Amino acid sequence: MPTLGIDLGGTFARAAVVDGGGKMLASAKVALAERSPTGVVETIAQAAAAAVKGAGVPVSSCGVGAAAQIHKDSGVLSVAPNLGWRNVPLGQMLTARLGQPVRVVNDLAAAAWGELHAGAGRGASDLLVVFVGSGVGSAIIANAKLLDGAGGVAGELGHIKVVPGGRRCGCGELGCLEAYAGGHNLITQTRELLAAGRSPKLVELTDGDPARVTPVTLELAAEAGEDASREVYERAAQFLALAVANQVTVLNPARLILGGGVLTHCVGMRRRVVEGVQSWASQVSREGLLITESELGDDSGIIGAALLAA
């Protein structure tokens, strides 16, 4: 029987009915009218009902991928930076609201599972999946199994420390990789340069409007040779490339799958990550390594969440 997949972001909830082969039969997307746990649960329920109605078939269970650190046994979101949540029992709340079993996992864990079974990971059993979008996320598939760790938070590449006591991350801690290389934080750092008047090139690219700043804006200013922009960009690129290279050394995956808006649109940043792996990962760990892009794109998480629920 098909299952229901949910992709919970910071502004929308997406739902899809997915068959056993990873094919989406119908989907729906609903904006989060409010970000309280009860409000988000209702939004998810609306999206789920619309997707099931569109598919015209019953579903047996539901999987949810959320950008959060999640306790694997309870489905409690310990930290969900995009929603401003702490210790929210989302799994329990959704099970009660939807009236069916619900499994809640990290969004990158869901994406990795989707890529393994229906995307760029097919035919492999050891994957490292790294997405850089608004944040920095990663997940690990080892011997065709999702590596989730004792508490369910293994693979949190975005929250390794790169500058002890450094910039504050959305998780509340200091010096995380995500605080320097995540999309939201790249925008924040670029706006700081703009506000300080340190980057004429950024003023030119944005007409001085902070709302027009994107990670691509920073990359363009850095590539133009402007010192202030290049400093922020090079730091982020080097931290990210070194972190991914070290993960390859530790895990020895068969495939490294890269995705997310920053790595998709910032071509130079993606190139730096690939070059970093080729230069800094141990030679034996990268022998036979295939570096590829996400095949399912934005649908990887919703498909993976549904397949995990199955």
Side-chain angles (χ1 to χ4, degrees):
M1 182 180 290
T3 51
L4 186 66
I6 306 291
D7 179 17
L8 176 59
T11 54
F12 291 93
R14 295 177 62 220
V17 176
V18 179
D19 69 15
K23 180 182 178 181
M24 292 172 58
L25 305 179
S27 64
K29 179 179 178 180
V30 180
L32 301 181
E34 59 171 298
R35 298 156 75 91
S36 69
T38 53
V40 169
V41 165
E42 287 306 311
T43 299
I44 290 174
Q46 291 174 29
V52 171
K53 181 178 179 180
V57 295
V59 294
S60 60
S61 56
C62 175
V64 180
Q69 296 177 21
I70 301 165
H71 193 282
K72 68 177 181 179
D73 295 325
S74 64
V76 171
L77 274 61
S78 300
V79 182
N82 291 343
L83 295 168
W85 290 359
R86 302 269 193 215
N87 299 317
V88 173
L90 184 63
Q92 179 183 333
M93 295 173 71
L94 280 173
T95 296
R97 177 65 179 83
L98 299 179
Q100 60 184 206
V102 175
R103 180 176 182 181
V104 184
V105 298
N106 174 267
D107 58 343
L108 258 293
W113 199 251
E115 294 290 346
L116 175 69
H117 289 280
R122 286 173 300 200
S125 57
D126 295 275
L127 310 178
L128 172 60
V129 179
V130 178
F131 278 28
V132 184
S134 56
V136 177
S138 71
I140 302 159
I141 302 290
N143 196 25
K145 296 180 180 179
L146 185 64
L147 182 63
D148 50 15
V153 294
E156 285 282 1
L157 183 68
H159 300 290
I160 66 169
K161 301 302 179 283
V162 293
V163 181
R167 295 181 67 91
R168 187 168 296 279
C169 181
C171 73
E173 298 183 15
L174 300 175
C176 296
L177 174 62
E178 184 171 302
Y180 292 89
H184 280 326
N185 288 298
L186 285 172
I187 289 172
T188 297
Q189 293 170 84
T190 307
R191 287 175 176 169
E192 289 170 0
L193 294 178
L194 197 62
R198 296 182 58 200
S199 176
K201 187 62 177 179
L202 286 175
V203 174
E204 176 189 330
L205 290 168
T206 64
D207 290 329
D209 182 0
R212 296 180 61 181
V213 168
T214 68
V216 174
T217 310
L218 175 64
E219 182 169 90
L220 290 172
E223 289 177 345
E226 189 168 69
D227 288 344
S229 298
R230 188 167 56 189
E231 179 183 349
V232 171
Y233 177 81
E234 291 292 334
R235 178 177 62 188
Q238 183 166 353
F239 284 167
L240 181 61
L242 187 58
V244 175
N246 284 338
Q247 284 283 71
V248 169
T249 296
V250 170
L251 299 170
N252 185 209
R255 294 183 195 171
L256 167 62
I257 301 175
L258 301 175
V262 171
L263 292 184
T264 298
H265 299 295
C266 294
V267 178
M269 187 77 74
R270 185 188 186 281
R271 183 178 64 250
R272 290 290 298 276
V273 171
V274 173
E275 290 173 348
V277 170
Q278 294 169 340
S279 298
W280 299 328
S282 69
Q283 182 175 345
V284 67
S285 71
R286 65 177 190 268
E287 288 177 359
L289 174 68
L290 174 63
I291 303 176
T292 186
E293 296 179 5
S294 164
E295 188 174 312
L296 301 177
D298 291 341
D299 293 333
S300 59
I302 202 167
I303 292 171
L307 293 177
L308 279 168

